[in-house]
Amino acid sequence: MSACPASAEQLRATFDLAGRTAFVTGGASGLGQLSALGLAAFGADVVLCDLDGNDTYRTASQVAVETGRRCVGWQLDVTDAGQVEDVVARVEDEVGAIDICVNSAGINHRELAADLAVDDFRRVLDVNLVGTFQCAQAVGRRMVARRSGKVINLASVLGLTGATHQAAYASSKGAVIQLTKVLAMEWVSHNVQVNALAPAHVATPLTDELTPELRQRALERIPQHRFAESHEIVAPVVFLASRASDFVTGSTLPFDGGWTAA
């Protein structure tokens, strides 16, 4: 076995996010909040955005206290293109260049396809897909100009598979996976890596809302027969945000307890 070309200290440093600024949408709760906490724990300063300003400011304060890193909250509607561009510009002026963009803002509407109203279908796609595109575009343009950046799109295992009552959500997340591939191809020559994370159910307030029937149906599809613990989402997010993933782009990382392997 040949000698390792890097020292142990250098290898550990590839996961260090000190000196980086992360921009996280949907950050007031759920996977966005967990992502923000994980990025800050590994050294990043975080700009946490969400639709509800009060929840966003409160969560940002909690992350700052828990990690000792700078974390500021910003109210943002990801479906409003003008507001997205304005907020991103102001963040870069007032906080600093965005090195990491985590697009986590998302909603769901569970209903059988035959009964699903078109307006509800459009609303899910507007937040999950169009919102992801608008934030990735606004931040990505600046990353491309600087020739450096990491974009992480929160997809879902349902973007890789299918499930009843999920016509809108699964469609939106499948499209996010395809968008991730396109952005990765277009920005690869500018040293900007774009990847997606496809989690199954994670124990958050959102999954607490599942009916017993839907909860049981989900558990039956996960070979580990459990939902992910909230802290377990941190490792893949930090990996995709760090220098450790510099050779990874256009990929979708399943985080699903074996769901897509079964």
Side-chain angles (χ1 to χ4, degrees):
M1 179 177 173
S2 60
C4 180
S7 68
E9 185 60 31
Q10 288 172 320
L11 293 173
R12 283 191 293 270
T14 61
F15 292 94
D16 184 9
L17 301 178
R20 309 268 184 112
T21 298
F23 181 86
V24 181
T25 70
S29 63
L31 300 187
Q33 180 181 0
L34 295 168
S35 298
L37 183 61
L39 294 169
F42 277 77
D45 292 329
V46 179
V47 176
L48 191 153
C49 301
D50 214 312
L51 186 60
D52 187 312
N54 291 331
D55 285 348
T56 304
Y57 308 142
R58 182 168 55 251
T59 301
S61 178
Q62 291 171 350
V63 171
V65 169
E66 288 186 40
T67 64
R69 303 301 307 177
R70 183 183 186 188
C71 185
V72 295
W74 224 294
Q75 187 171 10
L76 175 65
D77 179 356
V78 299
T79 68
D80 185 330
Q83 188 179 138
V84 169
E85 176 60 31
D86 179 62
V87 167
V88 169
R90 289 175 59 196
V91 166
E92 294 232 335
D93 286 342
E94 298 176 24
V95 180
I98 297 170
D99 304 292
I100 302 159
C101 176
V102 180
N103 291 307
S104 181
I107 60 172
N108 197 355
H109 186 97
R110 298 180 181 89
E111 194 162 0
L112 290 171
D115 302 322
L116 180 62
V118 173
D119 285 347
D120 290 328
F121 185 86
R122 285 198 180 102
R123 185 170 62 91
V124 173
L125 264 69
D126 199 26
V127 175
N128 296 4
L129 175 60
V130 179
T132 292
F133 169 71
Q134 291 182 158
C135 292
Q137 182 187 60
V139 177
R141 284 171 174 161
R142 293 162 169 83
M143 290 178 171
V144 165
R146 290 191 295 268
R147 300 189 59 81
S148 177
K150 302 277 189 176
V151 177
I152 305 167
N153 297 324
L154 265 293
S156 168
V157 67
L158 295 181
L160 297 167
T161 62
T164 62
H165 299 80
Q166 298 286 1
Y169 188 78
S171 297
S172 71
K173 294 302 186 176
V176 166
I177 289 170
Q178 292 303 112
L179 173 64
T180 298
K181 294 178 181 179
V182 172
L183 297 181
M185 292 173 64
E186 292 187 358
W187 296 346
V188 66
S189 62
H190 302 283
N191 192 36
V192 177
Q193 291 85 51
V194 187
N195 292 288
L197 183 61
H201 298 73
V202 180
T204 67
L206 187 63
T207 54
D208 289 342
E209 298 173 2
L210 291 174
T211 66
E213 178 187 1
L214 290 175
R215 176 178 291 271
Q216 183 58 35
R217 190 181 301 166
L219 289 171
E220 288 173 354
R221 298 191 67 171
I222 301 173
Q224 289 193 7
H225 300 297
R226 69 176 179 87
F227 291 172
E229 296 296 329
S230 59
H231 69 272
E232 292 177 308
I233 196 76
V234 169
V237 170
V238 170
F239 167 67
L240 292 175
S242 71
R243 292 186 297 275
S245 64
D246 282 353
F247 198 58
V248 181
T249 196
S251 294
T252 297
L253 175 60
F255 178 75
D256 61 5
W259 183 322
T260 52

